[in-house]
Amino acid sequence: MSNAEHAASAHETLHRETIAVHAGRPPRTPDAPLSTPVHLASTFVAGGPVAYGRYGNPSWDAFEEALGALEGGRCVSFASGIAAIAAVFDLVPTGGVVVAPRHSYTGTIGQLNDLAASRGVTVRFIDVRDTQGIADAAAGADLVWIESPTNPALEVADLTAIGRAARDAGALFAVDNTFATPLLQRPLEVGAHFSVHSATKAISGHSDVVMGAVVAADDELRARIVARRSLNGAIPAPLESFLALRGLRTLPVRLERAQATAQALVTRLEGHPRIEEVRYPGFGTIISIVVRGSVEEVERFADSTRVWVHATSLGGVESTLERRRRWPAEAETIPEGLVRLSVGLEHVDDLARDLERALDALA
Ligand SMILES: *Cc1c(COP(=O)(O)O)cnc(C)c1O
């Protein structure tokens, strides 16, 4: 049993808040630092299992041990969320079949389209809420890929039922768990082979890191993902690994506060005359609102907030908002007026008043 595995089993009896704080620390020997340092190293003295900086780094190990312990699996870190997703898609054979949500992160859709064009992969696009449709589509599939809640439509999938159907069909089952985080949803517990993250978002949490991770259900699956990382070289930097782990330490408390604020905002925004629809799955820190008005008006709204920052990405301590259809790659079934709100840690009244003022200014 490796150190990380041993630590993971020792953590099983602890609560997630405690795991987030304690996993991935150096051994408690006199004068040892409490945090794993940033190991800036391209090469290592011969004779050990790592040997070279593309194959391993102690700063990755610390982050991987912590996220793996939170998800209940074996983590592999990557240079970005999209690199992590690519590593899972690499497991699909040429000419294979993937089941995937029609509303997914735009980069994921881009990769699926590329797989279809360059490797003859058939992609069966589904609605993540349509469990029976997914079960039907899983027949003969190599991979069932689910994102839940979806970005930015915020549809929620029944992962337990889909996991059963995917396994019955003999397909790999992977979940993009970026929006829920391992604190709100643990796909490996309901049969997923992989839980995938853009660690850029809530895990890092401070809008200063781009990183990703695949958490595999067992060592054999982890080895297949490590092989993709070593072959393709989409490795995280040691400094980013350090920062992502530092962010992870406070994820439970950040999430708790931002989620409470999001829930309060939903109540305040519902019924605003300029808002056609408020979409919120009931948990998490992301809200999508559909603003009434022309594209120009909705863009003006997004530009005129003073507390909320008009910027892409999500999961930071600072609240951000964005009209998603400003990206040409966003699905055409996402309304032109849909604005995705990422709720941060500012005071709820400041956030609510800022949105209301910017919406009222449109009238
Ligand atoms: C941002 C995001 C990604 C891509 O991650 P990067 O770190 O930007 O490469 C994948 N999935 C979801 C749901 C995301 O929000």
Side-chain angles (χ1 to χ4, degrees):
M1 200 189 263
S2 73
N3 284 342
E5 277 175 302
H6 197 268
S9 58
H11 289 135
E12 262 158 28
T13 56
L14 297 173
H15 292 86
R16 288 172 206 177
E17 293 82 353
T18 312
I19 294 172
V21 170
H22 282 286
R25 300 277 185 190
R28 296 184 183 184
T29 53
D31 274 346
L34 268 67
S35 296
T36 302
V38 181
H39 286 265
L40 295 174
S42 63
T43 188
F44 299 88
V45 175
V50 177
Y52 184 54
R54 194 174 353 97
Y55 302 135
N57 182 291
S59 301
W60 306 353
D61 297 344
F63 171 79
E64 291 174 358
E65 186 184 321
L67 183 56
L70 279 180
E71 281 275 14
R74 307 276 284 120
C75 179
V76 188
S77 51
F78 281 89
S80 64
I82 210 70
I85 293 168
V88 175
F89 288 173
D90 272 352
L91 303 181
V92 177
T94 298
V97 175
V98 179
V99 176
R102 68 190 159 91
H103 291 156
S104 302
Y105 174 67
T106 50
T108 304
I109 299 278
Q111 285 210 6
L112 291 166
N113 290 336
D114 185 63
L115 278 184
S118 64
R119 287 210 273 127
V121 168
T122 301
V123 185
R124 297 176 181 158
F125 285 107
I126 47 80
D127 181 330
V128 297
R129 297 165 300 187
D130 178 12
T131 306
Q132 188 55 50
I134 295 167
D136 295 343
D142 297 283
L143 170 68
V144 175
W145 175 269
I146 295 292
E147 186 175 301
S148 181
T150 54
N151 179 3
L154 298 179
E155 299 134 340
V156 175
D158 179 348
L159 295 185
T160 306
I162 296 168
R164 211 177 299 125
R167 283 191 177 252
D168 286 350
L172 286 172
F173 176 39
V175 178
D176 184 331
N177 202 24
T178 301
F179 270 36
T181 84
L183 297 167
L184 300 177
Q185 179 167 278
R186 300 221 291 172
L188 302 182
E189 284 181 354
V190 293
H193 297 93
F194 302 109
S195 177
V196 182
H197 289 279
S198 169
T200 311
K201 314 291 170 53
I203 287 175
S204 292
H206 296 74
S207 308
D208 53 8
V209 167
V210 174
M211 224 177 106
V214 177
V215 188
D218 61 40
D219 284 336
E220 188 265 321
L221 291 166
R222 181 179 193 273
R224 293 177 70 185
I225 297 296
V226 169
R228 303 317 306 170
R229 180 177 66 182
S230 297
L231 276 168
N232 292 331
I235 57 170
L239 176 61
E240 271 70 1
S241 305
F242 177 94
L243 289 171
L245 177 54
R246 189 162 72 168
L248 187 67
R249 300 285 184 223
T250 58
L251 177 64
V253 65
R254 284 186 288 109
L255 187 72
E256 195 177 311
R257 168 59 71 88
Q259 179 172 260
T261 303
Q263 287 164 349
L265 283 174
V266 165
T267 310
R268 276 181 76 156
L269 292 173
E270 270 167 355
H272 190 286
R274 271 288 180 169
I275 299 180
E276 204 173 293
E277 191 188 345
V278 179
R279 295 192 191 181
Y280 184 66
F283 62 92
T285 63
I286 311 298
I287 305 165
S288 287
I289 58 174
V290 181
V291 177
R292 264 185 242 282
S294 64
V295 166
E296 292 68 28
E297 284 177 307
V298 181
E299 285 289 333
R300 182 144 47 83
F301 158 70
D303 268 332
S304 62
T305 50
R306 293 172 194 155
V307 178
W308 297 77
V309 186
H310 187 189
T312 197
S313 197
L314 52 99
V317 295
E318 53 291 279
S319 296
T320 56
L321 83 176
E322 174 182 48
R323 189 181 74 85
R324 281 303 297 174
R325 286 292 299 280
R326 78 189 178 101
W327 295 92
E330 188 55 87
E332 284 176 7
T333 39
I334 298 298
E336 286 279 7
L338 184 141
V339 176
R340 189 184 63 198
L341 309 177
S342 171
V343 179
L345 299 184
E346 303 91 338
H347 195 284
V348 59
D349 291 339
D350 295 333
L351 291 173
R353 274 199 289 262
D354 191 37
L355 290 177
E356 283 156 3
R357 193 195 44 73
L359 287 168
D360 294 343
L362 292 177

